[in-house]
Structures are given as structure tokens and as C-alpha cells.
Amino acid sequence: MTKRLTEVAKKAGVSEATVSRVLNGRDGVSEATRTAVLTALDVLGYERPTKLRGERARLVGLVLPELQNPIFPALAEVVTGTLAQRGYTPALCARTIGGVSEMDYVEMLLDHQVSGVIFAGGSYALADARHDHYRRLTDRGLPVVLVNAGVDELGFPRVSTDDAVAVEQAYGHLRSLGHERIGMVLGPEGHVPSRRKLDAMIRAAGWGAADTECVERSSFSMEGARVAATKLVERGVTGIICASDVLALGTIRAARRLGRSVPADVSVVGFDDSAFMTCTDPPLTTVRQPIETMGQAAVDLLVTQIEGAGVLHDELLFEPELVVRGSTAPAPGR
């Protein structure tokens, strides 16, 4: 064992202590040094420790917040298929309430020596959430890509829908139908994509401090949206822009429980264009995220990092598309 440590250390140009840390999977070693030590092991003909043999298995983690919202299975289909085409094996990790957390999944993926991780809908998009587990990935030098916004200080490459364009499209559509009292149902206060949508609405509508009564926040659930949208409808809002299709469906439910008709009394615009939105009653007008293009771009960014071709720290913004269906109509009286 001592002879092996000495030979590997000499070949890799590091100390024996560093070789020992790598072989025992300990922290505190840069990715470049880890790669040099493992390469030296291979060149000298030594067998890697069992827990390090998977490092070349080309395994990539995809961490999602849930699978009930159809947008996430749609993204998973694109990402896993693209990874397979590039020769990587996807490991799908979907969080559940009261189950395995995002932090737990990160630890599991690190234990499996993944080559990289793609996150969607994670706590990186919540400004007031804990981000320690992401820094673990940074410390390991592990390639990471985030889908749809995220707090800037994490420094990971990001692939996002342009929230400003999405709001401009939705707001312009409602205004063209004669709606003057337009509100929003957004995600939690610290949710970065929702912040971007609100900022875009303030610019587009010229909102001031008094217009905050046209905004309600919710968890990303139908019941949460129902509670939030009820307040907006009771305040006389006739057009509502929602931060997701799920929130839009909850908004439609709220209007109906108040005895309003959608779209005759209240027009509703969603965001995502997830599966089955053509089958709702009425079919949902929504802003379509280019999920296929974004999923492929996320994989391309990750593979570029894995192959050592550099890291693009800029955020890639993809333009959405307004899809007009039956949940929007001219404002009442028009």
C-alpha cells in the first residue's frame, strides 16, 4: 500500500497525503487533482477503490421538485433522451413531500460519483432558501446546470425562459381584449422567476405602489392558487396572469366558486403550456416554454463542462410563445 501511494503520488505530482484523500473519497481536493490521481492509478495499472470505479460511468443526475406537474415529466423526457444520445446514463431524482429532499439527493449523487447534475425547480430559485448543498457541488468541481433562473451568487450556468417576454406577451394579449384591471398570481416572495415576472409587469403596466393589490402569491398548487385568485376576483380583477399552468387551473376554480364565468367574466393566462392544457374546460391560454430546446441546451452545457471545454457562466434566455385558447376573451362589457 505504501509503495502504491508513493508511486501514484510521484506520477501525479502530488503528496502521498493527497493521494490518500482521493482514494478515501475525502473533501478538500480539487477536481483537477482528483483527476490527476485517478489517471495515475490507471496508467500505473492499479485498481481503483470500489467507490471510485463509477467515476467514468458517465452517470448524470436530473433533480426535479415533483412529477405531478406535467411540465417536469416533459423536461425529464427531453433531458434523459438527449443524455442517452450523448452516451450518458440519466439518474432521475424527483423530490416528494416528507420524502427525500434535494439536499439528500445531492449526497446520494455524490456517493454515486456522477459526472454532473441538472436541476429544475430547485431551491436555487428561492432567494431565502438554504443553498449549502449546491456549494458542496462547487467544492467538488462538479459540472452543474440550472433550469429557469436561480440566485446569482451560485455562479452555475443557467438555461431559462425569458420571463419578461412571457409577461409582455400575456399582458399585451389581455390589454388587446380590453382588460384594464389585470392581476397576477405568482409563486412565493423569494421565487426568482416570479420576481422577474413581477418586475416585467411593473414595467409593462406602469404599476406603482398602489397596484400591489393586483398581485397575490401562492405555493405552486391548485389550492394555493384558488385562495390567492379569490382575493383578486373579489377586488374586481378581470384578467389574471399566472406563473404556471397549475396556478391558472386553480385560478379558474376560484372564479367559478365565486359564480364567475371563465372567460366571460374573468380571463386567465397560464405559463408553461404543459400537457393536457388543450383538454381543460375551457382550454387554457398560456405562454409556452420551449422545453425541448431548453432541455437540449441544458445537456449541451453540462456535457461541455464534463468534457473540459470550459464553463459558460452567462444565462441563456429562450423566448416563449403565447398560445391563445379558450380561457381568454374580451373584457366584460366590451
Side-chain angles (χ1 to χ4, degrees), residues 42-315:
D42 297 338
V43 170
L44 293 170
Y46 289 122
E47 189 172 340
R48 296 188 183 193
T50 303
K51 62 183 178 182
L52 297 180
R53 291 175 192 165
E55 288 216 340
R56 304 302 183 198
R58 299 172 71 83
L59 187 68
V60 170
L62 172 60
V63 183
L64 304 175
E66 56 168 309
L67 291 176
Q68 291 184 332
N69 184 335
I71 199 66
F72 293 115
L75 176 66
E77 182 177 11
V78 174
V79 170
T80 56
T82 307
L83 282 170
Q85 291 173 1
R86 301 291 292 269
Y88 290 87
T89 302
L92 179 60
C93 305
R95 306 198 311 273
T96 57
I97 297 175
V100 181
S101 68
E102 188 176 69
M103 189 178 302
D104 293 333
Y105 273 130
V106 167
E107 293 301 322
M108 292 167 60
L109 291 170
L110 287 173
D111 288 343
H112 283 81
Q113 306 295 330
V114 295
S115 296
V117 185
I118 296 174
F119 290 92
S123 57
Y124 62 84
L126 297 170
D128 53 357
R130 291 186 59 186
H131 300 129
D132 298 349
H133 53 297
Y134 298 119
R135 295 187 177 93
R136 289 260 295 140
L137 299 174
T138 302
D139 293 343
R140 289 284 189 94
L142 199 69
V144 171
V145 174
L146 309 180
V147 178
N148 274 336
V151 293
D152 291 332
E153 56 265 28
L154 290 175
F156 293 131
R158 290 167 290 174
V159 172
S160 304
T161 299
D162 193 323
D163 291 302
V165 172
V167 169
E168 289 164 6
Q169 291 177 347
Y171 177 75
H173 173 60
L174 291 174
R175 287 290 295 163
S176 72
L177 294 171
H179 292 274
E180 297 181 359
R181 187 78 166 156
I182 299 173
M184 304 186 83
V185 175
L186 301 174
E189 181 70 33
H191 185 244
V192 176
S194 291
R195 283 184 177 180
R196 292 181 173 187
K197 290 180 174 69
L198 179 56
D199 289 343
M201 187 66 167
I202 291 171
R203 292 192 300 271
W207 276 0
D211 295 301
T212 55
E213 68 172 13
C214 292
V215 178
E216 288 294 332
R217 296 187 176 275
S218 166
S219 61
F220 282 94
S221 67
M222 287 184 62
E223 183 56 27
R226 186 192 66 77
V227 173
T230 295
K231 299 175 183 177
L232 294 179
V233 175
E234 288 177 337
R235 292 172 192 152
V237 169
T238 65
I240 302 178
I241 300 170
C242 302
S244 77
D245 290 343
V246 171
L247 295 184
L249 296 180
T251 297
I252 292 173
R253 178 178 293 181
R256 286 177 172 164
R257 288 193 178 183
L258 291 171
R260 309 299 205 281
S261 171
V262 176
D265 300 315
V266 180
S267 287
V268 179
V269 181
F271 178 81
D272 282 340
D273 194 29
S274 46
F276 310 120
M277 293 305 106
T278 58
C279 305
T280 59
D281 180 25
L284 186 67
T285 294
T286 186
V287 180
R288 176 183 294 158
Q289 292 199 69
I291 287 298
E292 183 168 354
T293 305
M294 290 170 62
Q296 292 171 348
V299 172
D300 288 343
L301 279 176
L302 192 77
V303 171
T304 297
Q305 294 179 70
I306 292 172
E307 295 178 348
V311 181
L312 177 67
H313 291 289
D314 294 335
E315 181 176 18

Side-chain angles (χ1 to χ4, degrees), residues 4-17 19 40 44:
R4 181 175 69 162
L5 284 176
T6 301
E7 289 184 341
V8 173
K10 183 178 179 180
K11 187 73 174 177
V14 298
S15 68
E16 293 182 19
V19 173
L44 293 170

